[in-house]
Amino acid sequence: IMLVGATRILSMLGLTGPMVELQLEQHVALGLEVIITTLGAADRFVTIRRQRDRAWAQSRRFEELAERDALTGLFNRRGVEERFTGLHADGFDTMAVIDLDNFKQVNDLHGHAKGDEVLRAAALALAPDEDTLAMRMGGEEFILLLRGKDVLARAERRRQAISLRIAAEVSGLERGVTASMGLVQHPPGGALKCDFSALYSHCDRLLYEAKRAGRNRTMSEKLQSFGPRFLRNKAVA
């Protein structure tokens, strides 16, 4: 456009000899300018979108890292507790707290590196799936959230699998590693408020009952609550 415009100005000033119109050339130059500007704007838009997508992906990776246990790759407490209300509404109405028995002896006898191997093997045994979420609470304690049928049997299979997986994955242990579990089922409905901390407290109490009963076992409960209307109907009956 600048070249065509300068040529026409010089022509009108009589500096190019015969008069040069260049109208067609000017229209072509304007068309090219529009095309080039459009392509430039589109390229800039794509670049900005790529930068946004990279920033979002990086943010999501940082968020996932904050929600994951670095040692085992399982969710940490934050990763599940913040979503617990929605998870419970989606059917995850059973919580199981699992603790490795006498884990301190593993660290004392074999060192913390061997203890880390034991924890990673235990995490593999918990085998999360579509209806089972697994998290590491901290130390040697893990939590399962389950939904669907046969939740008690499924959780118990995972608890028993911990000993087998550790024996297969970790060499050099003087004795096998077992686990104890406290499990609570809390079906939706009823008058009892359900939040992560309350359900965890129930499970933790049952876990210590299992420990006191000799370890390497499960204690479980199914919570059931009734609202005032149910109680009035029972009284009338």
Side-chain angles (χ1 to χ4, degrees):
I1 291 176
M2 294 178 64
L3 180 60
V4 173
T7 302
R8 294 193 67 190
I9 291 172
L10 292 174
S11 177
M12 286 185 290
L13 293 175
L15 300 178
T16 60
M19 188 74 170
V20 179
E21 293 293 335
L22 297 178
Q23 291 186 1
L24 176 61
E25 289 80 358
Q26 187 174 31
H27 292 322
V28 171
L30 287 171
L32 289 173
E33 181 69 15
V34 169
I35 293 172
I36 292 170
T37 302
T38 301
L39 291 175
D43 178 71
R44 183 59 181 164
F45 174 79
V46 171
T47 300
I48 292 173
R49 187 173 65 178
R50 287 174 179 169
Q51 291 173 345
R52 181 207 63 189
D53 291 343
R54 282 196 297 267
W56 182 88
Q58 186 176 37
S59 175
R60 183 57 188 160
R61 283 196 296 271
F62 286 144
E63 183 179 346
E64 289 178 353
L65 287 174
E67 295 175 349
R68 294 279 181 175
D69 174 59
L71 178 64
T72 63
L74 299 179
F75 283 111
N76 57 27
R77 178 168 182 163
R78 174 190 173 186
V80 174
E81 186 172 10
E82 293 179 351
R83 300 178 175 85
F84 180 74
T85 300
L87 290 170
H88 189 264
D90 286 340
F92 287 92
D93 56 13
T94 299
M95 177 185 288
V97 177
I98 302 170
D99 188 85
L100 303 186
D101 297 325
N102 299 315
F103 180 72
K104 185 176 183 299
Q105 295 181 4
V106 175
N107 284 332
D108 291 343
L109 293 174
H110 305 283
H112 290 278
K114 186 68 68 174
D116 289 347
E117 291 183 40
V118 169
L119 292 173
R120 283 192 287 265
L124 292 174
L126 295 180
D129 56 35
E130 183 179 354
D131 295 320
T132 308
L133 297 177
M135 59 174 281
R136 184 185 177 204
M137 190 69 171
E140 66 271 25
E141 188 172 273
F142 300 86
I143 288 181
L144 294 176
L145 291 179
L146 305 100
R147 66 180 175 185
K149 299 179 180 179
D150 303 321
V151 289
L152 179 57
R154 286 159 45 206
E156 178 63 12
R157 283 196 297 271
R158 284 170 169 80
R159 183 192 71 81
Q160 295 181 13
I162 288 175
S163 298
L164 299 175
R165 193 68 185 240
I166 292 173
E169 298 281 341
V170 184
S171 61
L173 297 178
E174 292 185 357
R175 62 184 66 181
V177 178
T178 61
S180 300
M181 181 168 69
L183 181 145
V184 172
Q185 294 175 261
H186 186 283
L192 184 63
K193 180 182 178 181
C194 180
D195 58 34
F196 183 92
S197 297
L199 204 55
Y200 174 77
S201 295
H202 282 289
C203 292
D204 194 51
R205 175 177 54 81
L206 291 171
L207 171 64
Y208 278 95
E209 287 184 16
K211 295 279 191 180
R212 286 193 295 268
R215 297 185 174 88
N216 192 24
R217 65 197 64 213
T218 294
M219 294 289 184
S220 65
E221 285 183 358
K222 184 174 183 178
L223 302 181
Q224 188 67 53
S225 61
F226 303 100
R229 180 175 298 178
F230 177 86
L231 297 177
R232 286 199 302 270
N233 291 341
K234 293 290 288 186
V236 171

